[in-house]
């Protein structure tokens, strides 16, 4: 859908599908955006540090990195070991969470039932996901270690400064080492 919208808009956005831990670009860019708690899918600290370094490597001097993440608090206190189910007109889902505290991993099984338009039947899809909980302090450390500076953090729900009970946090960082060398 993104490619279809790009064609209609006439813009020259480059879309690539790659493993975040090994991504490559054709040059530097003004911004990198990572949404939908993608960072939580990186389960190893060294791998996540590597992702941040890759982002910094491909940013123009002063380029921006915008990302969000689900917090450790969310997994430990809100959704860990909880089943969430919702019934909608066009689809229904069952989201079963299993929190593994020692590893800080939230495993979840997602079962989605999508209504088929021709018949009054539903098609079933199942997925299993693994996400790691991180703290804001850990994310700040990844930003700094990669050579970026933290510009802004916001609680995704309140759009105010994050608290210890923030469940999802937005982060804005800027490449600063290349910018300082100029």
């Amino acid at each position: 859908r993104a490619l279809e919208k790009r064609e209609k808009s006439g813009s020259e956005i480059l879309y690539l599908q790659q493993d975040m831990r090994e991504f490559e670009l054709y040059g530097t860019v003004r911004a990198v955006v990572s949404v939908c708690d993608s960072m939580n899918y990186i389960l190893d600290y060294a791998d996540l540090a590597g992702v941040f370094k890759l982002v910094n490597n491909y940013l123009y001097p002063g380029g921006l990195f915008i990302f969000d993440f689900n917090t450790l608090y969310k997994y430990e206190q809100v959704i860990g070991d909880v089943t969430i189910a919702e019934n909608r007109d066009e689809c229904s889902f069952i989201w079963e969470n299993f929190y593994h505290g020692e590893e800080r991993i939230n495993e979840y099984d997602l079962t989605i039932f999508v209504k088929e338009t021709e018949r009054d039947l539903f098609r079933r899809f199942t997925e299993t996901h693994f996400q790691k909980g991180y703290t804001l302090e850990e994310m700040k450390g990844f930003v700094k270690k990669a050579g970026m500076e933290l510009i802004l953090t916001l609680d995704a729900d309140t759009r105010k400064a994050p608290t210890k009970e923030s469940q999802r946090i937005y982060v804005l960082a800027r490449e600063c080492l290349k910018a300082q060398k100029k």
Side-chain angles (χ1 to χ4, degrees), residues 7 37 42 53 56-57 64 90 114 118 128 130 133 157 162:
E7 282 183 29
D37 46 271
I42 306 297
K53 284 185 181 192
N56 190 54
N57 179 59
L64 299 177
E90 298 302 316
V114 179
E118 305 86 41
T128 298
F130 296 90
D157 292 323

Side-chain angles (χ1 to χ4, degrees), residues 91-106:
C91 71
S92 299
F93 68 85
I94 302 168
W95 175 14
E96 300 173 276
N97 292 278
F98 309 97
Y99 184 65
H100 308 283
E102 195 170 301
E103 300 89 8
R104 295 167 57 173
I105 302 290
N106 190 62

Side-chain angles (χ1 to χ4, degrees), residues 8-177:
K8 288 178 185 176
S9 74
S11 67
E12 296 184 29
I13 297 172
L14 174 65
Y15 291 105
L16 300 171
Q17 182 177 348
Q18 301 177 20
D19 184 325
M20 289 172 34
R21 297 167 297 181
E22 302 170 348
F23 79 89
E24 294 182 59
L25 300 178
Y26 301 112
T28 53
V29 295
R30 291 184 187 108
V32 172
V33 179
S34 175
V35 293
C36 299
D37 46 271
S38 297
M39 295 299 164
N40 295 101
Y41 284 96
I42 306 297
L43 307 179
D44 181 81
Y45 290 103
D47 285 347
L48 189 56
V51 169
F52 279 66
K53 284 185 181 192
L54 281 171
V55 167
N56 190 54
N57 179 59
Y58 287 110
L59 285 174
Y60 283 155
L64 299 177
F65 180 31
I66 303 165
F67 68 95
D68 69 349
F69 71 98
N70 285 329
T71 64
L72 183 59
Y73 172 83
K74 179 175 184 174
Y75 296 122
E76 287 180 340
Q77 303 297 322
V78 181
I79 65 171
D81 298 320
V82 170
T83 298
I84 302 165
E86 213 172 289
N87 190 15
R88 301 177 182 178
D89 289 337
E90 298 302 316
C91 71
S92 299
F93 68 85
I94 302 168
W95 175 14
E96 300 173 276
N97 292 278
F98 309 97
Y99 184 65
H100 308 283
E102 195 170 301
E103 300 89 8
R104 295 167 57 173
I105 302 290
N106 190 62
E107 174 184 352
Y108 66 91
D109 294 328
L110 186 60
T111 304
I112 303 169
F113 300 91
V114 179
K115 190 173 187 178
E116 294 184 349
T117 55
E118 305 86 41
R119 302 173 288 181
D120 205 17
L121 299 174
F122 288 78
R123 182 173 305 272
R124 179 182 178 201
F125 299 90
T126 59
E127 302 175 350
T128 298
H129 295 250
F130 296 90
Q131 293 187 328
K132 186 173 188 89
Y134 294 99
T135 66
L136 178 56
E137 291 308 310
E138 289 170 327
M139 289 299 189
K140 287 178 180 180
F142 289 123
V143 165
K144 184 176 181 177
K145 187 175 179 182
M148 293 180 276
E149 64 179 327
L150 187 69
I151 303 300
L152 179 69
T153 59
L154 293 174
D155 180 292
D157 292 323
T158 66
R159 306 294 198 274
K160 295 180 181 176
T163 68
K164 65 181 181 176
E165 295 178 351
S166 293
Q167 295 179 39
R168 179 188 300 263
I169 297 175
Y170 296 135
V171 179
L172 173 61
R174 177 176 34 222
E175 188 288 324
C176 64
L177 293 181

